[in-house]
Amino acid sequence: MSMNRRSVVKAIAAGGALVGASVLMPRIAMAAWTTKAFEAEDQATAMNELLGGAAEESAEVTLKAPDIAENGAVVPVTVSSSMAGVESMSIFVENNPNPLVAEFLIPAGTDADVSTRLRMGKTSKVTAVVKANGKLYSASKEVKVTIGGCGG
Amino acid sequence: MKKGLIIAAALAMAPTLATATSFQEAFESNRAMHGNDHVFEWKGGKYHTNHEEEMEARVKATKANAADLLAKAKAKNAEVAKLGFEWKLTGDILKDAQKAIDEADYQKALNLAAQAKYHARIGIQQYHYAQKNWHLSVPE
Amino acid sequence: MKIIKTLALGLTVAAVTQMTHAADTGFDMQTVDPEADRIALQKYFKSRFPESDIADYVNGIYAVDAGSREQWEELEEFPPYEFDVEKGEELFNTAFANGKGYADCFENGGVGIRQNFPYWSKEEGTVKTLEQEINECRVSNGEEPLKWGKGAIAQISAYMAWTSRDKVFDIKIPADDERAKAAYLEGKKFFYAKRGQLNLSCANCHVQGTNIAIRADLPSPQLGHVTHFPVFRSKWGSLGTLHRRYSGCHKDSRSKPLKPQAEEFRNLEYFQSYMSNGLVANGPGSRK
Amino acid sequence: MAKGILKVKAKASGDKTKVKLMAKHIMESGQRKDKKTGELIPAKFLQELKVMHGGKEVFAANLGTAISKNPYFAFNFAGGAKGDELTMTWVENSGATSTETAKVK
């Protein structure tokens, strides 16, 4: 997962405007933020750019998300897996403008169990992809986003 | 014969429809079903389904007439505002009416002013209804 | 439209038949009985939602709707208002230019007193709310008043609510001042009066309409309505005061909202808070 | 130290440490329009977050614009004791970055 050229350029440009090297350092030390994956507009491309392939559904991946989101701006989601050797867990919202929401890197010793809150523009399938022992496994769920009546 | 049937039906459905025999109810249901400019019969008389404000707007579309109706609408809205029952959109409708006058679209101004005045009148009605009947919605 | 009218008519007629039962809760100065109202309201919700515990109504809609409760509990794992409570504490403890502070304006230094608001002020002959007194504190110390709806005033109010968590609401209607009872009655009347283009009263949605979807929103129960304010609403993406919510609700019925802290709104808050007597203060809250 | 944007609740329980953290950040998606000007508000969001404990990485995330305003994450890691320090480093898409610390309770 090497840093692609565009994000290096962006990092240098931004870093240069701030404090230079000291700002840049931790960025390089971190796992790269994959521009192509995060900016992809369809899920298959995003998944391929991020993880290098498609995932197969697995009962060992658990995606906890509401059936009907109270508010699309804050949808609580938990991804977990009972598998050993989990390296990363990623979340995709198929109908968002950019389907890739986040990628969590799970070092050895950390549970494959992460909660977060995400934005959904409209009703969509939400997919969690777990990378374990170099393979990709997924679980999906449809989350409905509705328009409220009480705007005030 | 036909009339008798209707009355029988109304009685059968009482009390839900009991008050529907008032002129107000006859007017509202005809208005809801047929819109404005519809003629209906009630207790032997013939009536149209237009709001009084719609009739007020049926004057020559001149600047003076539009300004006159707008002034009346504003006064009515001030009245309902004082009672705390002003509707949300009325202020903007009044503004749009003024804009239409400024753009010399007097028919549009008349229609908007009539709409605003209607809103204000119903708001006042709401206030008086609430004074008398608010307690009816208190649950047991 | 017609259907709605007919329905409304049906409801009105149904309400008339109830009137004889409801009459003992009082609709005028002679008969109004706040304590009877409060007990009647609790009974109403107990019969509507037998599974829900009365004490749980401080959690609003989540007391009666399991589906949204689960998401709310996830949010409460790390509530979105925590930054605001922190900021509120900082603001609360920042001295005014004259060296005094909010603590000087309130009983017990402003700590643990949320449950006593609003209260009837005999001297001023009006209902006083917490936000009102926060601003009065500022003005009397030579500071500019804060805007009512959101921002600093909501944060200070949130901090004060935070220090009052689990204290029991005990709103009093002094028997020696008829005007207090009149203010309560006005608040009650406001709550039950239909208004706006949609011809809705607060009660239509928050008593009869509790947990019945308005498009995708489930109206909260009137019981416990005020206990958790100020509230961080996901819809707002920020913290807001009770009167900000009143304005919003008012707009939703297509009324032109009254100004925050208008006498009508303060009377409404007085009535609603009295209805929550016996429940605990649990503000600030998070809502959808 | 300048006040950070992270609020961390880390609690050691048994052989694990449970971490819940929230960042005070707008997470501007770049897809919202300014209500007044009608122009798109440029994206401004947290892109990366890393949590270290005792020199070892225990959590890292790469984030997109669909993470909610005031991003929230919860996870558990093995080890950790009351009083230990966690070090969090975040990077914004602007390139701005900072490192903050918090204690395990």
Side-chain angles (χ1 to χ4, degrees):
Chain A
M1 215 185 298
S2 67
M3 202 181 215
N4 66 44
R5 196 183 146 269
R6 209 166 137 202
S7 72
V8 173
V9 171
K10 217 157 109 186
I12 291 171
L18 289 157
V19 211
S22 68
V23 173
L24 211 59
M25 282 310 288
R27 189 182 175 87
I28 286 166
M30 284 182 160
W33 192 85
T34 321
T35 307
K36 273 189 183 168
F38 277 101
E39 291 184 353
E41 289 172 8
D42 73 280
Q43 186 159 315
T45 308
M47 216 178 277
N48 201 36
E49 288 291 343
L50 185 75
L51 301 162
E56 65 173 274
E57 274 198 42
S58 163
E60 286 185 87
V61 178
T62 307
L63 169 66
K64 193 179 161 218
D67 299 332
I68 302 172
E70 263 212 298
N71 188 318
V74 203
V75 184
V77 169
T78 298
V79 182
S80 58
S81 173
S82 51
M83 277 182 267
V86 172
E87 299 155 44
S88 79
M89 305 200 294
S90 310
I91 303 174
F92 299 83
V93 175
E94 195 170 38
N95 294 342
N96 270 3
N98 305 115
L100 175 55
V101 176
E103 177 193 26
F104 303 117
L105 305 170
I106 311 295
T110 295
D111 291 349
D113 185 351
V114 176
S115 299
T116 188
R117 297 167 190 169
L118 48 90
R119 287 181 175 136
M120 295 181 62
K122 55 182 170 216
T123 296
S124 174
K125 192 169 88 173
V126 177
T127 301
V129 178
V130 168
K131 186 177 181 186
N133 306 312
K135 287 199 176 138
L136 303 175
Y137 306 93
S138 73
S140 298
K141 176 173 181 175
E142 168 116 338
V143 175
K144 285 200 173 66
V145 175
T146 49
I147 296 180
C150 305
Chain B
M1 179 60 204
K2 204 177 167 196
K3 221 175 195 174
L5 262 178
I6 292 167
I7 289 168
L11 281 175
M13 291 176 80
T16 325
L17 288 177
T19 48
T21 55
S22 77
F23 175 77
Q24 190 61 26
E25 276 305 319
F27 177 90
E28 292 298 346
S29 65
N30 276 285
R31 168 86 187 188
M33 285 219 283
H34 305 286
N36 62 355
D37 279 335
H38 171 76
V39 174
F40 65 98
E41 280 189 36
W42 186 75
K43 291 198 172 168
K46 286 198 171 184
Y47 303 89
H48 61 70
T49 55
N50 297 327
H51 294 137
E52 63 182 69
E53 291 80 8
E54 285 166 347
M55 299 312 287
E56 281 181 279
R58 289 189 187 179
V59 289
K60 202 156 180 252
T62 64
K63 187 173 182 180
N65 282 339
D68 183 48
L69 191 56
L70 178 57
K72 282 183 187 153
K74 280 185 178 165
K76 202 75 168 170
N77 198 46
E79 210 179 306
V80 72
K82 220 171 154 186
L83 301 171
F85 275 64
E86 184 181 347
W87 287 9
K88 182 181 152 196
L89 306 175
T90 322
D92 284 341
I93 297 171
L94 289 169
K95 272 186 211 148
D96 288 347
Q98 183 59 56
K99 214 173 127 205
I101 292 179
D102 296 342
E103 288 165 0
D105 192 346
Y106 303 124
Q107 190 54 55
K108 187 178 168 192
L110 280 167
N111 293 343
L112 289 169
Q115 194 190 352
K117 189 162 175 267
Y118 171 71
H119 280 192
R121 176 166 64 88
I122 302 301
I124 293 168
Q125 251 180 38
Q126 246 174 352
Y127 167 79
H128 289 297
Y129 180 86
Q131 293 309 303
K132 281 199 216 97
N133 302 298
W134 65 272
H135 56 279
L136 298 182
S137 58
V138 179
E140 184 185 337
Chain C
M1 187 62 201
K2 168 114 194 299
I3 294 165
I4 292 169
K5 266 214 124 81
T6 315
L7 264 177
L9 193 69
L11 277 177
T12 316
V13 175
V16 172
T17 60
Q18 278 183 2
M19 193 171 63
T20 45
H21 303 285
D24 54 351
T25 68
F27 308 113
D28 54 33
M29 282 298 281
Q30 281 70 50
T31 59
V32 69
D33 181 348
E35 198 50 20
D37 287 352
R38 189 179 72 85
I39 290 161
L41 189 73
Q42 291 201 356
K43 274 194 184 146
Y44 174 86
F45 281 108
K46 196 75 221 172
S47 71
R48 271 283 297 279
F49 307 102
E51 303 295 311
S52 300
D53 195 359
I54 290 292
D56 201 32
Y57 278 85
V58 297
N59 296 322
I61 187 66
Y62 310 120
V64 295
D65 180 60
S68 50
R69 183 182 186 106
E70 207 175 320
Q71 292 174 63
W72 168 72
E73 281 175 347
E74 292 275 351
L75 288 193
E76 286 285 329
E77 282 286 314
F78 204 127
Y81 49 74
E82 286 209 1
F83 290 113
D84 292 297
V85 172
E86 211 169 66
K87 182 74 186 166
E89 180 173 13
E90 186 190 315
L91 290 168
F92 185 89
N93 291 317
T94 305
F96 302 134
N98 68 1
K100 295 209 165 169
Y102 293 105
D104 300 312
C105 296
F106 293 96
E107 209 180 314
N108 198 35
V111 170
I113 58 166
R114 176 66 187 87
Q115 71 285 359
N116 302 328
F117 286 87
Y119 70 95
W120 175 257
S121 162
K122 206 171 175 181
E123 298 72 37
E124 296 177 49
T126 193
V127 171
K128 302 300 295 280
T129 66
L130 180 63
E131 285 79 13
Q132 205 178 13
E133 296 219 325
I134 289 171
N135 260 346
E136 283 176 10
C137 177
R138 294 180 60 83
V139 172
S140 67
N141 284 294
E143 303 284 329
E144 289 286 321
L146 301 166
K147 286 204 169 141
W148 294 117
K150 53 184 169 183
I153 201 160
Q155 289 166 332
I156 294 166
S157 172
Y159 167 67
M160 293 177 78
W162 180 258
T163 67
S164 313
R165 279 205 166 177
D166 294 334
K167 303 242 180 200
V168 178
F169 268 92
D170 184 18
I171 304 300
K172 294 194 170 67
I173 299 171
D176 62 346
D177 193 340
E178 280 283 285
R179 296 173 303 170
K181 202 162 84 177
Y184 169 88
L185 183 60
E186 280 304 310
K188 181 176 173 184
K189 192 160 144 186
F190 190 105
F191 188 83
Y192 287 105
K194 288 170 177 286
R195 62 186 69 232
Q197 196 166 359
L198 301 184
N199 200 32
L200 291 170
S201 69
C202 306
N204 287 149
C205 296
H206 296 288
V207 179
Q208 290 90 347
T210 297
N211 207 23
I212 296 171
I214 303 177
R215 289 172 75 188
D217 282 338
L218 297 172
S220 52
Q222 126 95 329
L223 182 59
H225 241 176
V226 295
T227 59
H228 43 272
F229 273 83
V231 153
F232 189 104
R233 222 179 153 219
S234 305
K235 183 129 219 157
W236 293 335
S238 72
L239 193 74
T241 60
L242 178 62
H243 288 225
R244 178 182 180 190
R245 191 72 199 96
Y246 279 171
S247 294
C249 245
H250 217 163
K251 266 188 236 164
D252 290 336
S253 71
R254 292 222 198 143
S255 282
K256 186 180 174 184
L258 300 171
K259 297 259 182 310
Q261 304 299 331
E263 190 178 12
E264 291 90 334
F265 277 171
R266 282 184 288 115
N267 288 342
L268 177 62
E269 184 178 340
Y270 194 39
F271 163 68
Q272 288 209 290
S273 303
Y274 190 92
M275 289 298 102
S276 294
N277 268 357
L279 301 179
V280 296
N282 65 332
S286 61
R287 291 295 181 271
K288 74 174 279 188
Chain D
M1 198 181 88
K3 211 177 158 199
I5 63 166
L6 298 174
K7 207 168 154 68
V8 182
K9 295 178 185 178
K11 205 170 180 325
S13 79
D15 55 356
K16 276 184 191 175
T17 298
K18 294 184 174 182
V19 183
K20 293 183 214 169
L21 68 86
M22 193 185 271
K24 192 171 171 56
H25 199 285
I26 180 111
M27 295 301 278
E28 193 61 64
S29 68
Q31 281 152 5
R32 261 189 347 148
K33 279 183 181 161
D34 186 306
K35 272 183 194 152
K36 282 177 193 140
T37 63
E39 279 171 37
L40 279 180
I41 303 169
K44 180 180 162 72
F45 62 99
L46 293 183
Q47 252 181 350
E48 294 167 31
L49 172 74
K50 184 168 68 168
V51 182
M52 309 276 290
H53 168 255
K56 179 184 175 298
E57 186 175 302
V58 292
F59 181 75
N62 291 315
L63 312 170
T65 52
I67 288 288
S68 299
K69 175 181 171 178
N70 294 349
Y72 165 78
F73 307 100
F75 61 92
N76 309 320
F77 67 88
K82 195 177 166 182
D84 284 4
E85 194 169 74
L86 297 179
T87 308
M88 286 81 52
T89 303
W90 53 260
V91 184
E92 199 182 62
N93 68 319
S94 64
T97 177
S98 177
T99 296
E100 301 176 21
T101 59
K103 286 259 190 301
V104 175
K105 280 183 184 154

